[in-house]
Amino acid sequence: MLGEQKICFSGVQPSGNLTIGNYLGAIRNFATFSEAYKCFYCVVDQHAITVRQTPADLRRRTYETLALYMACGLDPEKNTLYVQSHVPAHAELSWILNCYTMFGELSRMTQFKDKSSKHADNVNAGLFTYPVLMASDILLYQTDVVPVGIDQKQHVELCRNIAERFNQVFPDTFTVPEPIIPQNGKKIMSLADPTKKMSKSDENQNAIVYILDDRDTIIRKFRRAVTDSDTAVRFAEGKDGINNLMTIYSCFTGKNMDEIEREFAGKGYGDFKLAVGEVTADALAPVQARYKELLADKAGLEAQMKRGAEEAAYYARKTLSKVQKKLGFVQIR
Ligand code: TYM
């Protein structure tokens, strides 16, 4: 809470082209909070460098992610949209919270275990303390709700533990946030291996549908999606591929699983896959068109970055000063 207003915070890494997993699990839902909450949506570039990035790509994707936020309906007049490295308080609070986070807690993070096995040649300390920076992002704004996909739930729970631990020593410092995870779309799976999450860092391009894929590519990728040897479009255990496609179809059409089963009764997987591709392409077309316009205006994006950073920094400094004072750091003006 900031005064009387409830706060919403979330972030996306500019570490790759964004997928329909990022869209359905997170970004698409962000705009639904804009009326009832004060919302901060951050492009978390500092998180992205926990794995090696090519500087030119990171720079380009930072602009692209901001443009995509806006193309997905986030009005910069109603939401604070900014880039993490432009607000130094994130890194400052992160150091402090590192001293209130236990080694054992960080060791249990499944994302750390996954990423450290995937990047075995670069298991750096940033990869390990990543959830502390994420907790700082959230706690700096006295956040009430954090809309995320299910893969980030463990990190938000750790953030809650850190906030509660700090509040025990220094009462009333942080609001303890709640993760908000969508019922439908919380974990969109890979099209190539539907037992795995769809991830922007997957090397298999057929596993991923990007928000910016063109219509033909989207339809082709869904056509190739791995399914089972059954033929009925039915949501059932063991049918991971079809369950995933039904989830995507449901997210884009608003139909529930029974309705989808009825719609495709007597039809084969081929017809269904084509329909999933078409509704996805139809839903993404306006986002893509708006994105192109926004990205063409680099100066406009930079002006937004500046405005967003100034606004975020104002709130972030308030929490950071409060924390520093409580800890016993001498304040000079
Ligand atoms: P990131 O960049 O990996 O993903 C951004 C958001 O997309 C969701 N997501 C998915 N949802 C459903 N199905 C999928 N296949 C899928 N893949 C990704 C993620 O859950 C996330 O909500 N650590 C975060 C970024 C972050 C953050 C924060 C989030 C940094 N600080 C503070 C919230 C609050 C991350 O790596 O997300």
Side-chain angles (χ1 to χ4, degrees):
M1 292 278 275
L2 282 170
E4 286 302 296
Q5 202 162 25
K6 288 223 172 200
I7 308 299
C8 171
F9 182 98
S10 200
V12 174
Q13 293 192 62
S15 55
N17 295 327
L18 300 186
T19 74
I20 57 165
N22 298 123
Y23 182 70
L24 297 175
I27 305 173
R28 169 172 99 143
N29 310 318
F30 289 175
T32 62
F33 293 87
S34 302
E35 295 301 332
Y37 292 80
K38 175 153 185 61
C39 297
F40 296 87
Y41 294 118
C42 184
V43 180
V44 292
D45 55 349
Q46 289 170 317
H47 278 93
I49 63 161
T50 53
V51 302
R52 294 283 177 258
Q53 302 290 335
T54 305
D57 290 346
L58 179 63
R59 194 171 298 118
R60 175 175 52 78
R61 287 187 177 129
T62 301
Y63 284 94
E64 290 173 354
T65 307
L66 182 68
L68 211 49
Y69 273 173
M70 293 197 253
C72 291
L74 294 177
D75 177 350
E77 299 300 323
K78 292 194 187 147
N79 304 272
T80 301
L81 310 178
Y82 71 104
V83 177
Q84 187 182 33
S85 65
H86 295 163
V87 180
H90 288 247
E92 289 181 71
L93 182 63
S94 185
W95 171 254
I96 294 169
L97 295 184
N98 266 313
C99 304
Y100 288 81
T101 308
M102 299 302 135
F103 184 87
E105 287 177 305
L106 292 174
S107 311
R108 286 193 290 276
M109 294 294 114
T110 53
Q111 190 167 306
F112 171 69
K113 290 186 216 165
D114 288 353
K115 286 207 175 168
S116 51
S117 65
K118 230 189 253 166
H119 303 277
D121 55 339
N122 182 24
V123 185
N124 62 72
L127 198 60
F128 188 64
T129 60
Y130 175 113
V132 184
L133 180 58
M134 182 163 158
S136 306
D137 300 339
I138 298 168
L139 299 179
L140 264 182
Y141 299 93
Q142 305 294 349
T143 300
D144 297 278
V145 296
V146 186
V148 281
I150 196 121
D151 62 319
Q152 296 301 317
K153 185 168 181 240
Q154 195 187 30
H155 288 161
V156 180
E157 277 164 0
L158 175 66
C159 170
R160 289 170 56 86
N161 292 341
I162 297 171
E164 280 164 358
R165 180 174 301 130
F166 200 93
N167 283 349
Q168 242 165 22
V169 187
F170 303 106
D172 303 323
T173 306
F174 294 122
T175 302
V176 180
E178 295 281 347
I180 305 275
I181 293 161
Q183 272 205 325
N184 216 5
K186 59 181 174 290
K187 190 174 187 187
I188 300 298
M189 309 306 274
S190 152
L191 298 192
D193 176 357
T195 61
K196 266 180 31 190
K197 185 188 80 161
M198 183 184 286
S199 160
K200 52 175 130 62
S201 57
D202 199 319
E203 270 154 29
N204 181 354
Q205 294 299 300
N206 287 324
I208 315 163
V209 175
Y210 295 112
I211 300 176
L212 298 174
D213 273 343
D214 62 45
R215 187 176 188 86
D216 289 350
T217 307
I218 293 174
I219 289 174
R220 178 173 44 79
K221 285 179 175 175
F222 278 114
R223 192 172 271 145
R224 288 198 189 154
V226 169
T227 45
D228 50 67
S229 56
D230 190 9
T231 50
V233 176
R234 223 165 18 94
F235 196 90
E237 204 161 317
K239 289 170 69 77
D240 297 323
I242 284 294
N243 293 350
N244 188 39
L245 296 183
M246 287 178 76
T247 301
I248 295 169
Y249 192 74
S250 166
C251 286
F252 283 122
T253 59
K255 294 177 183 163
N256 65 31
M257 297 307 166
D258 286 345
E259 288 169 323
I260 299 171
E261 285 178 11
R262 260 183 271 126
E263 184 178 351
F264 291 93
K267 295 188 185 154
Y269 283 177
D271 287 345
F272 178 55
K273 286 178 173 180
L274 178 62
V276 181
E278 284 177 340
V279 296
T280 305
D282 289 348
L284 295 178
V287 172
Q288 296 177 351
R290 182 82 189 105
Y291 167 83
K292 273 195 200 120
E293 287 169 16
L294 288 159
L295 197 67
D297 179 13
K298 207 170 166 194
L301 290 173
E302 281 169 1
Q304 174 51 42
M305 284 181 191
K306 196 156 183 288
R307 207 171 43 235
E310 278 165 8
E311 202 174 317
Y314 169 78
Y315 293 102
R317 287 275 2 140
K318 275 205 206 180
T319 301
L320 185 65
S321 303
K322 176 172 161 189
V323 169
Q324 289 171 330
K325 229 185 269 169
K326 290 195 181 222
L327 284 166
F329 290 176
V330 173
Q331 311 272 297
I332 48 172
R333 281 172 208 283

